[in-house]
Amino acid sequence: GTKEIPVQVNGKLKTCVTVGADASAEEILTSIKADAKVQEILNTNKVKKEIYVPGKIYNIVVEK
């Protein structure tokens, strides 16, 4: 099975990354970071903080 991990930037939902339901936290994080939209966000913004709640949500805090 799979599950969706929402990715938020400064509290706004930007994308969802589909991962395996039994993937480890490290595998999920790798999948999230490999996502094209996430890479674009990380590459075009100054990232202050990344908060990953395992299996729930991935938050990126960027400088405005």
Side-chain angles (χ1 to χ4, degrees):
T2 60
K3 63 182 172 183
E4 296 265 299
I5 304 289
V7 177
Q8 284 191 345
V9 178
N10 289 354
K12 292 189 186 75
L13 185 66
K14 292 294 179 186
T15 186
C16 281
V17 179
T18 305
V19 296
D22 53 0
S24 70
E26 288 80 19
E27 289 170 325
I28 292 172
L29 205 50
T30 302
S31 297
I32 292 170
K33 294 216 180 211
D35 184 80
K37 281 186 186 158
V38 176
Q39 287 199 331
E40 191 184 326
I41 293 161
L42 295 174
N43 291 336
T44 57
N45 294 280
K46 192 164 183 198
V47 178
K48 285 163 77 171
K49 195 158 46 162
E50 294 173 55
I51 307 132
Y52 175 54
V53 182
K56 294 267 185 271
I57 192 163
Y58 185 64
N59 278 299
I60 304 167
V61 181
V62 299
E63 281 182 19
K64 291 196 186 303

